[in-house]
Each structure stands twice: as structure tokens, then as C-alpha cells.
Amino acid sequence: MISGKMSESLNKHMNFELQSAHLYLSMSSSANEMGLKGAANWFMVQYREEMIHFMKFYTYLVDQGTNITLLASKAVPNNYKSLLELMQKTLAHEQVITSCINELSEQAVKEKDHATQIFLQWFVTEQIEEENNDRDLLAKLKLVGDNGHGILMIDAEMAQRVFIVPPGSPLAV
Ligand code: OFO
């Protein structure tokens, strides 16, 4: 049993994870339009990971007896100039998500809600990995600048990313 306040905060964040999925799906299409198939793959994998995050919140809330509320989805941008801009926006977005997860964790601690604290631990760790991956790619993109060959090499690296369902996760698309 979780408090009404906690379930409301988690429900709000669950919708934010779904919005993240939409954001990355749109970024995948923008990368494809730029001719960067590897980056399009990378963002598609990111989209699928976000769907897992969304489903983790969904399942947790339903298991805690919450009737979840799906909010209307907001339009996401689809006009990017470069892969560098895509990665800059990705890192900025993940930093916002990290602070939301931290706020949720603080609320769970304040409410002495041990179950939610344990549930959120996975996300605390996940956000370190998300931001780290984005920072690595950003650093490489800054190094190559406008060099087309360099960008294509990074695109080839991004093509290697594979979607793996984290063990014990609810299935998503
Ligand atoms: Fe779900 O972590 Fe990204 O947004």
C-alpha cells in the first residue's frame, strides 16, 4: 500500500517516461532523415528502453492497487540540425529525468515508503548509465566537429547498439 500522494507522483513520472519514449522515437526518425542509420538505430533502442521504464512504473503502480491515469501525450520536437544537437538534447533530457527520479526517491524516504525506495533504486542506477552513455557520445561528436568521416564512424558505432530487455522487466514494444 502506498500513499495517494506517492502514487500521484509516480503516476506523473510514468507519463514522463512515456513522453521520453515518444521523444526518442521522433529523434530516430530525424536521424534517419539525416542519413544516419546507425543513430536512428541507437534512438530506436532508446525508445524501446523508455517503454520498459514506462511499463516498470505501470506494473509497480498496478501491483500497489493504483488505477493509473494516462495523460494526453504532448507533441515532441522533430526538427534537429545535427547529430550533435540530438545528443545535446538527449543528455539535457536525461538530466531532467535524473532529478525527477531523485525527487521521487526523496519523497519515498520522507514517507518512510520502503517498497517505493527499493523500486526506485533500479532507476537511480539506470540514470547514471544513461547520462554516461550520452556524455561519451557527446565527447566524441565534439572531437570530430563537422568532419563527415568522423560523424560516419560514430554513426557506425551507434549502429551496434542492441536492445536487451532487463531481467524481470515487464514486456514492452
Ligand atoms: Fe527512462 O530514462 Fe531516459 O528518459
Side-chain angles (χ1 to χ4, degrees):
M1 175 83 186
I2 58 176
S3 75
K5 244 175 117 185
M6 192 77 245
S7 109
E8 205 180 298
S9 302
L10 292 169
N11 192 102
K12 189 170 158 217
H13 188 81
M14 175 195 71
N15 280 280
F16 204 11
E17 293 287 348
L18 189 55
Q19 204 198 332
S20 300
H22 290 168
L23 177 71
Y24 294 127
L25 190 57
S26 168
M27 284 183 169
S28 176
S29 134
S30 295
N32 188 64
E33 200 209 2
M34 287 173 202
L36 299 169
K37 300 278 180 197
N41 166 68
W42 194 93
F43 283 108
M44 187 60 78
V45 172
Q46 190 65 29
Y47 154 75
R48 298 186 75 188
E49 284 202 356
E50 298 303 345
M51 288 303 290
I52 293 283
H53 299 175
F54 161 70
M55 284 304 297
K56 273 184 181 278
F57 275 90
Y58 173 95
T59 307
Y60 180 69
L61 283 167
V62 167
D63 287 352
Q64 287 282 13
T66 303
N67 186 9
I68 63 118
T69 308
L70 284 171
L71 304 173
S73 56
K74 287 192 212 135
V76 289
N78 70 346
N79 52 334
Y80 300 95
K81 292 186 300 290
S82 62
L83 183 52
L84 178 67
E85 189 193 358
L86 281 165
M87 283 317 303
Q88 282 167 333
K89 297 269 161 71
T90 297
L91 177 60
H93 181 77
E94 288 307 325
Q95 286 167 337
V96 173
I97 296 282
T98 301
S99 24
C100 293
I101 296 286
N102 289 341
E103 274 172 32
L104 288 172
S105 303
E106 279 161 33
Q107 185 180 344
V109 169
K110 256 191 223 142
E111 291 194 16
K112 297 190 172 56
D113 178 345
H114 301 292
T116 302
Q117 286 176 49
I118 292 167
F119 167 71
L120 290 170
Q121 282 306 309
W122 185 89
F123 287 92
V124 171
T125 311
E126 173 72 3
Q127 284 310 118
I128 298 172
E129 191 193 314
E130 296 246 343
E131 285 192 31
N132 196 29
N133 291 342
D134 299 345
R135 263 195 306 272
D136 279 356
L137 283 165
L138 254 187
K140 287 178 191 166
L141 284 165
K142 282 183 184 158
L143 275 177
V144 301
D146 285 337
N147 182 298
H149 183 66
I151 293 172
L152 286 177
M153 278 178 66
I154 295 171
D155 187 58
E157 179 187 327
M158 292 175 91
Q160 303 305 312
R161 187 175 186 192
V162 178
F163 174 67
I164 298 163
V165 180
S169 292
L171 277 184
V173 200

